[in-house]
Amino acid sequence: MIIVIDFGSQTAHLINRRIRDLGVESRVVSYKISLEKLKNLKGIILSGGPSFVNLPNSPTISKKVFSLGVPVLGICYGMQLMGKILGGEVGKGKNKEFGVVEVDLKKSKLFKGINGKQQVLMSHGDQVLRLPPGFINLGSSKDVPNVAMGKEKLLAIQFHPEVIHTKNGIKILKNFIFNICLARKDFNQLKWQKSEIKGRAICGLSGGIDSSTAAALVYQVIGRQLKCVYVDTGLMRLGETVQIEKDFKKFFKEDLIIIRAEKQFLEALKGVEEPEEKRKIIGNLFIKLFEAEAKKWGAKWLVQGTIYPDVIESAPTSLKLRGVSAETIKSHHNVAGLPEEMKLKLIEPLRDLYKDEVRQLAAKLGLPKNIIKRQPFPGPGLAIRIRGEVTKERLDRLRQADKILQEEIKEPVWQTFAIYVPLKTTGVKGDGRSFEDMIAIRSVTAKDAMTADWTRLPYKLLAKASARIVNEVAGINRVVYDITTKPPATMEWE
């Protein structure tokens, strides 16, 4: 067992995921875990985190952790914490580092086969200024003298090996897990536990891969005691409801219920501009509709397709019961957007899985390819792809722009979509001045939805999509392309 101690990192579970991918059993735990539970492990990894180790109330662990005889790898905040606890000096460096940085790594067991200059992802303002007694320097960058350090089985790195932007990050983790921790491959990454459901249940079906897989999984357990409920919020893409009805009537037949609720959602969102408020309004309204349908059916359970990236971005609301500290990035409507008091009990069979694991599970369950390969679409729909207030006019324009974009995308991509930006800019249409809104295009490539790179779409494709959008969509005179990775950006703009 490898334990990942979480200090509030957005990627602590991504570290856990990488270890599982290597075939080794691992678990994420709070930094408040007792010392007794850290004995007899193969290894311990200290995650990153948003705090500063010198603050009075910053997350910390006992110094005794480092004398258990268990190998420890500190990452980012974890390195700074190790440095401070063991007698080094931590503080502000000459410069902060955010994004991909070149480092020079020295020969060691941790960097076996990959020493020398490397591209890694940095995300820090603080650093280890002076190494703890007995530690040696294992790497540096232009602005950080101590990028890595080590002393026997205690090792630490300032960068993040768990993200795809660190080219040899997986090799570093592999070296730590197998060469230093001497762990064995004994973990099945698709292992999951069936929830015990007694009685009838409804499933909030969006038509996406997550809710579809959750529905299929629970359907195997309770059969016709499950009814799937799809809510047409009026915030869906062009033709979405018709397609979902066509796809899912085949599988659930009379067990698929469609609720038309466009008027209710648009009324509830009227005048609302703040993204978090929009998400929570949508989450609350979904639950009201589900509860009303559950009452008709006599159901006590609500099945949701919540996956781990939803949970971690919605922290700390969704994680406080687990004792994990994390910053809230956005309140997903199906996690932190839920009302405090609910009449239905939640069943979330995919809660600890990542997007690609869900796709693998969906294939094993026999779901059709068009659902498995469907581009991710947020539960709140186009409401969070419209900056500011959601109106019928903006929805119609965004739907049209997104349809044009999808028509021009010839090759399959992980996710490509349009965003409505109500920021007026000056343009020229028909030899006259225009002062209209803009459309942004976002296209990303990802594996597990925790990190992503922007897609290098062909210029010709972008040019054609842009020309069509400004010519065919009323009120739009400018198209921009988002070239930001995740992190620092998220998939969606809101």
Side-chain angles (χ1 to χ4, degrees):
M1 171 76 75
I2 303 288
I3 287 292
V4 180
I5 298 181
D6 185 10
F7 296 98
S9 171
Q10 294 299 323
T11 59
H13 277 259
L14 189 53
I15 302 169
N16 187 53
R17 171 61 200 279
R18 299 300 183 230
I19 300 169
R20 285 159 55 180
D21 282 348
L22 292 170
V24 176
E25 187 177 0
S26 63
R27 187 175 302 153
V28 178
V29 299
S30 166
Y31 65 89
K32 297 175 183 178
I33 189 172
S34 68
L35 192 67
E36 191 64 31
K37 292 181 180 179
L38 295 177
K39 295 177 180 178
N40 303 316
L41 297 171
K42 280 295 183 181
I44 297 170
I45 295 180
L46 310 179
S47 83
S51 191
F52 176 37
V53 297
N54 289 338
L55 292 176
N57 297 318
S58 61
T60 190
I61 52 173
S62 168
K63 186 176 181 179
K64 293 179 181 178
V65 170
F66 303 104
S67 58
L68 293 173
V70 178
V72 181
L73 174 65
I75 296 175
C76 196
Y77 180 90
M79 174 174 176
Q80 295 160 19
L81 190 63
M82 184 186 292
K84 180 188 176 183
I85 290 174
L86 297 180
E89 181 187 351
V90 178
K92 303 290 182 185
K94 183 173 64 174
N95 288 310
K96 298 179 180 180
E97 290 181 317
F98 297 100
V100 177
V101 173
E102 185 177 79
V103 297
D104 191 6
L105 304 179
K106 297 179 180 179
K107 286 185 179 181
S108 67
K109 277 190 176 182
L110 187 62
F111 303 136
K112 184 180 178 181
I114 54 170
N115 57 284
K117 294 184 177 180
Q118 304 285 319
Q119 298 292 315
V120 303
L121 183 81
M122 292 284 197
S123 184
H124 70 100
D126 310 311
Q127 58 183 268
V128 176
L129 301 174
R130 177 172 51 79
L131 298 181
F135 277 73
I136 61 170
N137 177 283
L138 295 177
S140 61
S141 70
K142 179 184 174 184
D143 294 315
V144 180
N146 299 311
V147 156
M149 64 181 190
K151 178 186 177 184
E152 299 173 351
K153 293 182 180 180
L154 305 180
L155 301 146
I157 50 180
Q158 185 56 64
F159 55 90
H160 290 268
E162 69 273 21
V163 300
I164 58 174
H165 311 87
T166 298
K167 187 177 178 181
N168 288 310
I170 301 302
K171 289 183 180 178
I172 293 171
L173 289 174
K174 196 173 182 180
N175 283 337
F176 176 70
I177 291 164
F178 296 114
N179 298 341
I180 297 168
C181 297
L182 304 178
R184 293 180 302 175
K185 293 185 178 183
D186 59 359
F187 181 72
N188 175 8
Q189 67 179 32
L190 287 181
K191 184 171 64 177
W192 59 281
Q193 293 181 339
K194 293 179 182 178
S195 301
E196 291 186 11
I197 307 175
K198 293 180 181 179
R200 294 176 172 182
I202 63 169
C203 177
L205 185 72
S206 70
I209 182 65
D210 302 332
S211 62
S212 301
T213 304
L217 204 55
V218 176
Y219 199 77
Q220 281 194 345
V221 179
I222 65 172
R224 296 293 300 279
Q225 289 193 94
L226 175 72
K227 280 190 182 293
C228 292
V229 180
Y230 167 75
V231 180
D232 182 355
T233 61
L235 308 172
M236 311 305 284
R237 293 171 290 193
L238 205 62
E240 190 111 33
T241 298
V242 174
Q243 187 61 49
I244 286 171
E245 189 170 9
K246 180 182 175 183
D247 288 341
F248 287 92
K249 279 289 185 182
K250 297 175 186 176
F251 304 102
F252 297 109
K253 298 178 183 177
E254 64 268 28
D255 295 324
L256 174 63
I257 299 166
I258 296 177
I259 299 174
R260 314 284 176 175
E262 177 180 6
K263 187 177 179 181
Q264 290 166 266
F265 277 87
L266 290 183
E267 185 62 34
L269 291 167
K270 191 174 181 179
V272 179
E273 296 186 0
E274 210 280 320
E276 287 291 282
E277 191 178 352
K278 282 197 278 188
R279 286 176 175 273
K280 288 174 181 178
I281 287 171
I282 290 167
N284 275 270
L285 189 46
F286 264 123
I287 294 301
K288 285 181 182 178
L289 293 169
F290 289 147
E291 286 179 340
E293 201 58 47
K295 188 176 180 180
K296 295 179 194 175
W297 169 238
K300 295 181 179 179
W301 302 91
L302 171 62
V303 179
Q304 290 197 142
T306 306
I307 63 173
Y308 196 73
D310 299 341
V311 177
I312 194 64
E313 286 188 341
S314 298
T317 307
S318 61
L319 297 180
K320 62 184 179 182
L321 295 178
R322 300 183 182 190
V324 177
S325 172
E327 289 288 321
T328 302
I329 303 301
K330 60 179 74 168
S331 297
H332 285 264
H333 78 289
N334 57 326
V335 185
L338 298 176
E340 289 183 13
E341 293 184 10
M342 284 177 54
K343 296 174 184 177
L344 296 170
K345 297 177 182 178
L346 281 180
I347 294 293
E348 297 175 315
L350 312 178
R351 191 180 178 90
D352 292 319
L353 297 184
Y354 296 84
K355 181 68 77 173
D356 58 315
E357 289 181 315
V358 174
R359 292 190 195 279
Q360 292 174 43
L361 186 54
K364 286 192 172 188
L365 291 168
L367 289 177
K369 288 183 179 180
N370 67 312
I371 294 175
I372 295 173
K373 293 183 177 180
R374 187 175 184 260
Q375 287 192 27
F377 187 63
L382 299 180
I384 57 170
R385 291 182 179 174
I386 293 176
R387 298 290 291 114
E389 185 182 4
V390 178
T391 66
K392 186 73 166 59
E393 182 183 54
R394 289 177 178 180
L395 280 166
D396 290 340
R397 290 176 178 177
L398 179 56
R399 268 191 276 265
Q400 190 180 357
D402 195 73
K403 181 176 181 291
I404 291 169
L405 182 59
Q406 301 308 325
E407 288 173 349
E408 295 303 328
I409 299 288
K410 307 301 181 186
E411 297 297 324
V413 292
W414 200 83
Q415 189 179 31
T416 300
F417 57 92
I419 304 109
Y420 192 96
V421 187
L423 176 64
K424 296 190 181 298
T425 66
T426 302
V428 179
K429 283 188 175 181
D431 294 326
R433 179 182 185 270
S434 70
F435 194 55
E436 298 175 315
D437 294 342
M438 69 170 72
I439 290 289
I441 294 174
R442 176 84 161 140
S443 183
V444 293
T445 302
K447 181 181 179 183
D448 46 35
M450 289 297 290
T451 62
D453 193 12
W454 62 277
T455 313
R456 273 60 171 176
L457 291 177
Y459 291 157
K460 189 176 179 180
L461 184 157
L462 289 170
K464 189 173 180 183
S466 174
R468 284 191 62 191
I469 289 169
V470 296
N471 279 286
E472 297 175 32
V473 183
I476 302 297
N477 70 353
R478 191 178 298 271
V479 175
V480 297
Y481 189 45
D482 183 348
I483 58 169
T484 321
T485 60
K486 176 187 178 180
T490 55
M491 300 292 199
E492 303 289 340
W493 277 32
E494 287 195 349

